[in-house]
Amino acid sequence: MSWAMQCQSYLPWGSWTQLRRSLSGSRGTWSVYLCAASVPGELGSVPVGLRPLICPAPREPLSLVDISPQLHSGACAVCGSPQQDVKPVSFVVLALLGWRRPSLTLYVLSAPPGAAGSYFLRKVPRASDVSLPRGCVRYQGGSQEHSVQPSSSRHSLSHLRNVASSDAIKKHQKSLSAWFSHQPNEERQFGPSFSLDAVHVDPVIRESSLEEILKPSPDLTIQNQLQQPCSQVISLQNLFDVDACGRQVKNVVLYGTVGTGKSTLIKKMVVDWCHGRLPRFELVIPFSCEDLSHSHAPISLRRLITKKYQHLRDVVPMLGASNLKVLFILNGLERLNLDFRLAGTELCCDPNEPVPPSAIVVNLLRKYLLPEASIIVTTRPSAVRRIPGKYVGRYAEICGFSDTNLQKLYFQMRLSQPGCSGQNSAGSSSGEQENLVEMLSRNLERHNQIAAACFLPSYCWLVCTTLHFLYFTRTVPPSQTLTGIYTSFLRLNFSGEVLDSTDPTNISMMKYVAKTVGKLAYEGVMSRKTCFSEDDLRQCFEVEMKTESELNLLEVFRSDVFRFFLTPCVQPGKEHTFVFTIPAMQEYLAALYVVLGEKKTLAQRVGKELSEVIGKVSEDVAVVLNIISKVLPLRFLPVLFNLLKIFPRYFSRLSGKDRDAIAHTMAEELFKEEDYYNDDVLDQINSSILGVEGPMRHPDEAPDDEVFELFPIFMGGILSRRNRAILEQLGCSIKNLAAFEIAKAMKKTVIRNSRKGLPPSELMDYLFFLHEFQNERFTAEAIHSLRTVNLSSVKMTPLKCSVLASVMGTTCHEVEELNLTSCNLDTSSLRILFPVLLRCKALHLQLNSLGSDACKEIRDLLLHDKCVVSNLRLANNPLGKQGAQYLAEALAGNCSLTHLSLLHTALGDQGAEVIAQHLAENQHLQELNLGYNSLTDTAALRVVEVAKKHATLDKVHLYFNDISEDGKQVLHSLRMDRDGVRALVFLTAGTDVSDYWSNILNVVQRNLPFWDRERVQQHLALILQDLESSRRQTPNPWRKAKFLRVESEVKKMLGKLQHGTL
């Protein structure tokens, strides 16, 4: 420091009183900084013996008045420690930061020229002219905040850099970490383990250039939509490295289309800084450009920062007077209208000067304001050109997950988290999670369309959320709906923002998508088409473009949003076409297009606008006409007034017909007969994600075979109150009255069509539609008409069980029959369906691999006081002896069961014996089927002996058991009129055919695909021998003919078994 810098004041060395008087506003607490300062040219002006000493770690607090007695004592100038404990320094610098004023004052110990032997404290006019080392002690109000650190001349930093690690910035980091780690509602359903730290994969970032961005917008061709290879990949930590010319980069523009993960990347960047993983910057200050766009009142930069981040009040005054490494983050620049012309935005270099928020952003980027600060801007591609290239040091494009390995890593991290499968399924869920990851990885490796969709990280989130919904939903009612997932997905990516902030129409991005892409989606659904040519796109997007504003909006849509919804088709032979990124998204947007009422002719659109205008005018005219009619008795005035009201009323009726048409479309698509034998919609979604066998058609088949069964379900889901509220935030308003009238019209169409017999998969779709609709009154009325529910062969996942229980739970009426044959049920499924099973008179649970644990649930069901089950079929389930024990206990206490089928349930003699022991305690059973259970003579005769004494049991099935010839004779001798029970053992009854031969053969025919074929073949051969023997013994020709008929049926079955055609 040169003596040419004039000193403002000189104070004698010991005149601390004079020093205190010279400081205005000295009352109150002061922050006192003491450190060693090397002042060039003054090192020898003070004798070494008189230089004060400072401890490396002072032990006692220091106040301003306590320092003067220690200056010449040879002890520490701070705490008075002995000389051997202190370290000599050249000079003492006092930095006094006023408690009541934010100014910084520095005093340097020195000797002015010509004043030998006199030492003064010189007040330094500019604090930035003195370089202060790290070894600085701060005292405030007598409390020590930091200890003295060893100084280093090689790594000398400014005094204020220590402030960056002060409590204020630590509080700022804690606050930012809590805010940016906050999970939205869409994430909370997955549990606390789904945080940015736990589940995050950095997307590919490619260094770009202004020349690439300024290229003319390409046509909608397949070549231009394919992502260019990322040749210049750059990491997030290296964005501020020097450029190719060796210049330090201060401003970075990070751009990407919707869904590439810009906001998530910024959140992760802030969280990393809060946790010390971004050491390049000492202070990070994020701003949302959306928030800045809502305010136009002048405000200073310092006030803007402290208003949003109150913890930085002590740090903000030092921003302009220090070398603190600050990073400003401006997220979503497309929300701001920036004007870099000097005539539009004035220059501003003072952080205390109030200017509009947009002017602050412009001057920060210009480097007039805080020129040493680093800035990172995120934006969509259409808004990149709003910042002149001379103010940008580096352009970087977020390329998403262009590598399938990144997609696999994301899915593995996401689906393998502990909280993914819910809290109640810790045991078997890990294997299911691993299986999901494996199937998904194989599908990605096949370069299927799902890999093209997951190029965008947002769609990776949608895939994981959908799989979580399909596989790990176990609550009743389900906490989510599929429509809600897709609506929330759009809210996360669009959040109600406008397509172009510079356009005066301010149309929301989602509204624009519903009108344009929704139209394309709807036309595809109606024509059964999923692939669209470039001509199809032009017809959809460009045919109605007539104004400059519309063309500008289309240009913004092409650059920012197009790839989010449409992607090049990867199927062979269809390379020059586009498909929707996720197949279900086409059906969702088509449903939104219809429900929003966008499917209108030109006359209907003009009529609506004219009706609204006339309706508003008529209110004003009514007042005028009423006044005139009181003054002038003109009879035509009321007539004129009524004429004004005719058109709005007429159009209201027309719009009512439109809502009838929406309901009719919904019913027509929901009950389309050509879709009756497809898989249910939940299996279709599963197959589209995991690539398993499903209803997806072969590429060579006609497009008319495409399946669009989600379309009507999404229509119903969009009408739910929750989804309408979210769509309202996105700029897509659906009025309550419109939703009410559509639901009213649906009662005439949907409920009437549902009363027809529906195949099982179609019935499951209907139940899922009612769940998605989320209208309890409507659902109750629809379910009340369902007396028989046949879902046989539908794979009843936990989600489907929850949907069935939720929908059936809207009423309390008894169900005549519930058929859940071959539905992959397990114990947890029965637990979910328990309230529904109580109300079913006939319950079919055959072929579900139910074991003894499931029998425990069935026992509790049958012993429940509200149970009405009278016919229970458990055939072809491995119940075993333990299962028989539970069922026997249920028989003893049940009062509703009349028919019980335990055919082929692996009971054995022990299981049959247990049932026989408890059978006497039952007073209502009428029929018991114990066929094909490997029963021997002892067990069979024991059951029959108990049955003979039973008050109501009159029929016992014992065919296909290991009963000897002697046992057959004993059982054959039983008669209903004499012994009180019929034992169905064989097809013959002496020299006649049994009355129940057709029943036995029908049971065998239905169950042959699930039985041991060799054993069944042996039994049929024995039956055939028995038939032939009885036919030879009878002389009656009519009986012989009857035997021959039965023999032919048995021979047919044997032939099919031998040739493998059954």
Side-chain angles (χ1 to χ4, degrees):
M1 182 190 308
S2 170
W3 282 109
M5 182 181 66
Q6 297 298 321
C7 301
Q8 292 184 357
S9 63
Y10 292 96
L11 300 179
W13 171 252
S15 301
W16 288 99
T17 306
Q18 186 177 353
L19 171 64
R20 296 185 62 193
R21 290 174 182 172
S22 68
L23 299 174
S24 60
S26 60
R27 296 179 181 178
T29 304
W30 291 78
S31 297
V32 182
Y33 297 87
L34 291 97
C35 67
S38 176
V39 184
E42 301 180 6
L43 185 60
S45 60
V46 179
V48 178
L50 295 179
R51 294 174 187 173
L53 307 171
I54 297 181
C55 307
R59 297 184 295 272
E60 299 294 335
L62 172 73
S63 64
L64 189 59
V65 295
D66 294 333
I67 194 171
S68 55
Q70 301 167 8
L71 291 176
H72 295 286
S73 62
C76 176
V78 175
C79 61
S81 301
Q83 187 171 357
Q84 62 268 20
D85 297 332
V86 302
K87 179 181 179 181
V89 296
S90 299
F91 293 93
V92 174
V93 176
L94 300 180
L96 296 110
L97 181 62
W99 181 57
R100 299 179 182 273
R101 58 177 186 173
S103 62
L104 179 67
T105 308
L106 295 183
Y107 289 86
V108 179
L109 176 65
S110 62
S118 299
Y119 308 104
F120 296 90
L121 287 175
R122 180 173 55 81
K123 182 177 181 182
V124 181
R126 291 186 298 170
S128 60
D129 290 330
V130 177
S131 177
L132 301 179
R134 231 181 245 278
C136 176
V137 185
R138 179 182 179 182
Y139 293 88
Q140 181 165 1
S143 63
Q144 181 180 337
E145 291 187 7
H146 291 81
S147 61
V148 175
Q149 301 176 1
S151 61
S152 173
S153 59
R154 186 176 58 175
H155 300 288
S156 64
L157 298 173
S158 74
H159 156 69
L160 291 178
R161 290 185 190 175
N162 251 1
V163 180
S165 59
S166 66
D167 289 345
I169 291 187
K170 288 181 179 178
K171 291 179 181 178
H172 176 62
Q173 288 177 325
K174 184 177 180 181
S175 176
L176 277 184
S177 177
W179 176 255
F180 280 88
S181 301
H182 177 74
Q183 293 179 325
N185 293 332
E186 290 80 5
E187 291 283 5
R188 292 178 188 172
Q189 59 180 314
F190 304 117
S193 61
F194 288 88
S195 62
L196 277 175
D197 285 337
V199 184
H200 179 78
V201 178
D202 286 332
V204 175
I205 303 176
R206 181 177 65 90
E207 188 168 1
S208 181
S209 65
L210 184 61
E211 289 73 19
E212 287 185 45
I213 300 169
L214 294 179
K215 286 179 181 179
S217 188
D219 295 331
L220 294 177
T221 58
I222 182 66
Q223 290 82 5
N224 291 316
Q225 291 303 322
L226 288 171
Q227 181 66 33
Q228 298 178 356
C230 297
S231 57
Q232 297 180 338
V233 176
I234 186 170
S235 66
L236 188 65
Q237 288 76 15
N238 298 331
L239 286 177
F240 290 93
D241 288 352
V242 295
D243 60 11
C245 300
R247 292 171 299 191
Q248 183 64 44
V249 173
K250 287 294 184 181
N251 292 350
V252 174
V253 172
L254 188 64
Y255 68 94
T257 59
V258 175
T260 50
K262 299 183 296 295
S263 297
T264 304
L265 192 64
I266 290 301
K267 286 183 179 180
K268 184 63 167 58
M269 185 179 184
V270 174
V271 172
D272 282 348
W273 175 76
C274 293
H275 295 165
R277 294 191 289 266
L278 201 64
R280 180 190 291 265
F281 302 105
E282 296 169 327
L283 179 62
V284 172
I285 304 176
F287 280 111
S288 167
C289 291
E290 180 184 10
D291 296 339
L292 297 178
S293 67
H294 294 158
S295 175
H296 302 284
I299 187 172
S300 68
L301 175 60
R302 289 180 175 175
R303 175 60 182 149
L304 185 66
I305 295 173
T306 55
K307 183 178 179 182
K308 186 172 181 66
Y309 304 109
Q310 297 181 1
H311 298 299
L312 298 180
R313 286 181 177 176
D314 293 336
V315 180
V316 167
M318 307 176 190
L319 289 181
S322 69
N323 294 324
L324 193 66
K325 292 185 177 180
V326 183
L327 172 64
F328 286 95
I329 297 177
L330 303 174
N331 188 28
L333 189 75
E334 66 275 357
R335 311 286 185 93
L336 279 176
N337 293 327
L338 302 181
D339 189 353
F340 280 81
R341 300 172 303 164
L342 291 177
T345 304
E346 62 181 3
L347 298 178
C348 175
C349 61
D350 185 2
N352 294 314
E353 181 180 352
V355 292
S358 59
I360 292 178
V361 173
V362 169
N363 282 288
L364 282 172
L365 292 169
R366 284 172 173 169
K367 294 305 174 188
Y368 276 89
L369 198 58
L370 301 184
E372 297 302 320
S374 300
I375 301 173
I376 184 169
V377 174
T378 67
T379 183
R380 302 199 307 257
S382 64
V384 171
R385 288 170 286 186
R386 296 184 189 179
I387 306 176
K390 62 182 178 181
Y391 299 126
V392 180
R394 175 172 283 125
Y395 293 96
E397 180 185 8
I398 301 182
C399 299
F401 295 156
S402 54
D403 186 355
T404 54
N405 290 325
L406 292 178
Q407 301 174 11
K408 292 180 184 178
L409 178 61
Y410 180 91
F411 291 132
Q412 186 167 6
M413 292 177 66
R414 189 86 185 187
L415 295 174
S416 300
Q417 286 295 311
C420 179
S421 57
Q423 300 176 351
N424 300 326
S425 56
S428 61
S429 61
S430 59
E432 190 170 17
Q433 290 171 258
E434 293 175 1
N435 188 35
L436 281 179
V437 173
E438 179 64 26
M439 287 192 293
L440 196 52
S441 297
R442 286 202 301 266
N443 200 20
L444 291 172
E445 290 170 358
R446 289 193 291 265
H447 299 288
N448 209 331
Q449 198 67 50
I450 187 71
C454 294
F455 165 81
L456 294 173
S458 293
Y459 277 97
C460 293
W461 180 91
L462 179 61
V463 167
C464 289
T465 307
T466 305
L467 288 176
H468 185 276
F469 174 69
L470 291 176
Y471 282 89
F472 304 119
T473 299
R474 289 176 171 83
T475 57
V476 180
S479 58
Q480 273 280 11
T481 64
L482 186 65
T483 314
I485 289 175
Y486 275 75
T487 307
S488 298
F489 169 69
L490 294 174
R491 188 188 72 82
L492 286 175
N493 285 279
F494 294 98
S495 63
E497 62 182 291
V498 297
L499 181 60
D500 185 5
S501 61
T502 63
D503 186 77
T505 60
N506 279 333
I507 183 172
S508 75
M509 194 179 297
M510 198 61 230
K511 181 70 171 179
Y512 187 88
V513 168
K515 294 176 66 173
T516 54
V517 187
K519 178 183 177 182
L520 180 71
Y522 174 75
E523 291 176 353
V525 169
M526 291 296 101
S527 58
R528 289 295 196 250
K529 182 167 66 173
T530 58
C531 296
F532 303 93
S533 65
E534 294 176 11
D535 289 336
D536 294 331
L537 300 181
R538 289 193 182 96
Q539 286 292 322
C540 175
F541 295 119
E542 298 180 6
V543 70
E544 296 183 2
M545 299 296 160
K546 297 179 181 179
T547 65
E548 184 71 17
S549 175
E550 291 174 336
L551 290 174
N552 290 337
L553 288 175
L554 177 60
E555 189 68 21
V556 173
F557 171 79
R558 282 177 172 177
S559 64
D560 295 352
V561 191
F562 180 83
R563 275 193 241 174
F564 185 82
F565 292 105
L566 293 162
T567 187
C569 184
V570 299
Q571 293 183 14
K574 297 182 179 180
E575 291 84 358
H576 295 279
T577 59
F578 291 91
V579 296
F580 278 83
T581 312
I582 290 287
M585 185 58 73
Q586 178 179 354
E587 299 178 73
Y588 180 92
L589 292 178
L592 183 61
Y593 177 76
V594 174
V595 174
L596 284 176
E598 296 294 338
K599 188 175 72 71
K600 290 185 175 73
T601 62
L602 179 62
Q604 287 175 324
R605 288 198 295 268
V606 172
K608 180 181 179 182
E609 294 175 0
L610 187 60
S611 171
E612 292 175 353
V613 171
I614 293 178
K616 293 177 181 178
V617 170
S618 63
E619 296 176 0
D620 299 331
V621 173
V623 178
V624 177
L625 290 180
N626 286 333
I627 296 173
I628 296 176
S629 62
K630 294 178 180 179
V631 180
L632 300 175
L634 300 177
R635 297 181 179 180
F636 68 88
L637 290 178
V639 177
L640 179 62
F641 176 66
N642 290 330
L643 286 175
L644 288 172
K645 291 185 176 182
I646 287 177
F647 187 81
R649 290 176 182 174
Y650 177 72
F651 184 80
S652 177
R653 293 180 182 179
L654 288 179
S655 59
K657 292 183 178 180
D658 288 343
R659 287 154 190 165
D660 289 341
I662 293 174
H664 179 74
T665 301
M666 200 179 303
E668 184 180 359
E669 293 295 324
L670 189 61
F671 301 107
K672 195 180 285 290
E673 291 187 6
E674 52 262 42
D675 296 336
Y676 269 14
Y677 299 100
N678 297 322
D679 290 347
D680 61 80
V681 292
L682 294 174
D683 284 346
Q684 292 177 33
I685 296 171
N686 183 71
S687 66
S688 68
I689 295 176
L690 299 180
V692 295
E693 292 184 3
M696 303 304 293
R697 305 299 178 181
H698 192 274
D700 297 334
E701 292 189 21
D704 290 339
D705 290 332
E706 295 290 352
V707 178
F708 294 98
E709 294 183 83
L710 268 175
F711 169 55
I713 294 175
F714 277 142
M715 289 178 68
I718 288 172
L719 290 171
S720 69
R721 184 182 298 275
R722 180 179 178 273
N723 286 314
R724 283 190 286 118
I726 297 177
L727 288 170
E728 180 77 29
Q729 299 173 16
L730 297 176
C732 299
S733 177
I734 303 172
K735 302 298 182 184
N736 289 333
L737 180 60
F740 173 77
E741 291 181 350
I742 293 173
K744 185 177 179 182
M746 283 168 55
K747 291 182 180 180
K748 305 174 184 177
T749 54
V750 174
I751 295 179
R752 182 175 64 246
N753 283 277
S754 68
R755 290 170 181 164
K756 303 175 183 178
L758 296 175
S761 62
E762 200 69 16
L763 179 59
M764 187 68 240
D765 290 347
Y766 178 58
L767 296 173
F768 188 60
F769 165 80
L770 295 175
H771 163 68
E772 292 287 312
F773 192 37
Q774 295 286 292
N775 187 323
E776 189 170 342
R777 183 179 299 178
F778 180 91
T779 301
E781 188 171 343
I783 288 299
H784 196 74
S785 61
L786 283 179
R787 296 292 175 174
T788 300
V789 179
N790 180 12
L791 295 174
S792 60
S793 300
V794 173
K795 185 180 178 181
M796 294 299 292
T797 62
L799 171 62
K800 294 176 188 176
C801 292
S802 299
V803 168
L804 176 60
S806 173
V807 170
M808 297 295 291
T810 56
T811 66
C812 56
H813 74 283
E814 293 183 358
V815 179
E816 294 296 330
E817 181 181 349
L818 176 59
N819 190 346
L820 296 175
T821 301
S822 187
C823 288
N824 286 25
L825 297 178
D826 55 15
T827 305
S828 62
S829 303
L830 296 179
R831 198 173 293 121
I832 294 172
L833 292 171
F834 192 90
V836 179
L837 303 181
L838 284 174
R839 296 156 40 199
C840 299
K841 293 183 178 179
L843 183 57
H844 301 244
L845 299 176
Q846 308 97 298
L847 295 164
N848 279 296
S849 300
L850 298 176
S852 58
D853 290 340
C855 289
K856 187 184 298 185
E857 296 294 328
I858 295 173
R859 177 198 63 185
D860 296 341
L861 172 74
L862 294 175
L863 293 178
H864 199 279
D865 55 353
K866 294 184 178 180
C867 178
V868 299
V869 177
S870 60
N871 187 346
L872 177 60
R873 297 184 180 181
L874 292 170
N876 299 299
N877 286 299
L879 306 182
K881 175 188 174 183
Q882 185 60 49
Q885 178 67 43
Y886 292 134
L887 292 176
E889 295 172 7
L891 282 175
N894 178 266
C895 299
S896 63
L897 196 63
T898 58
H899 295 75
L900 176 62
S901 174
L902 299 177
L903 174 70
H904 191 223
T905 51
L907 297 181
D909 285 349
Q910 293 180 340
E913 186 69 27
V914 170
I915 289 178
Q917 292 174 3
H918 291 77
L919 196 59
E921 301 177 44
N922 181 279
Q923 302 297 321
H924 304 278
L925 194 64
Q926 299 175 9
E927 184 176 351
L928 176 63
N929 190 337
L930 298 178
Y932 201 174
N933 273 295
S934 302
L935 304 186
T936 59
D937 295 0
T938 304
L941 292 173
R942 168 70 174 147
V943 171
V944 172
E945 287 296 328
V946 175
K948 288 167 59 176
K949 302 175 183 178
H950 197 279
T952 58
L953 185 61
D954 62 357
K955 191 182 297 183
V956 178
H957 299 252
L958 294 171
Y959 41 80
F960 274 37
N961 281 302
D962 300 332
I963 301 175
S964 65
E965 289 296 327
D966 294 338
K968 293 177 184 177
Q969 296 298 325
V970 175
L971 293 173
H972 175 67
S973 64
L974 295 175
R975 293 291 184 272
M976 179 65 188
D977 53 355
R978 187 184 63 197
D979 301 302
V981 65
R982 298 188 184 93
L984 281 66
V985 185
F986 307 105
L987 298 184
T988 59
T991 57
D992 198 359
V993 177
S994 171
D995 294 338
Y996 303 100
W997 71 270
S998 61
N999 293 346
I1000 295 174
L1001 287 183
N1002 284 337
V1003 171
V1004 175
Q1005 180 82 26
R1006 288 195 306 267
N1007 291 277
L1008 271 179
F1010 318 106
W1011 290 354
D1012 185 340
R1013 297 202 169 199
E1014 292 185 4
R1015 186 175 180 185
V1016 171
Q1017 195 170 339
Q1018 294 174 2
H1019 276 284
L1020 288 177
L1022 292 174
I1023 288 175
L1024 187 60
Q1025 292 176 9
D1026 187 52
L1027 287 171
E1028 291 173 348
S1029 175
S1030 298
R1031 175 169 53 82
R1032 287 192 293 266
Q1033 293 178 11
T1034 180
N1036 190 319
W1038 297 107
R1039 290 183 178 177
K1040 285 182 180 290
K1042 200 172 180 181
F1043 274 113
L1044 288 172
R1045 179 186 172 189
V1046 178
E1047 287 176 30
S1048 66
E1049 293 292 333
V1050 175
K1051 287 178 180 179
K1052 283 182 183 179
M1053 295 176 65
L1054 271 173
K1056 290 181 178 179
L1057 276 174
Q1058 291 170 355
H1059 293 91
T1061 58
L1062 190 63

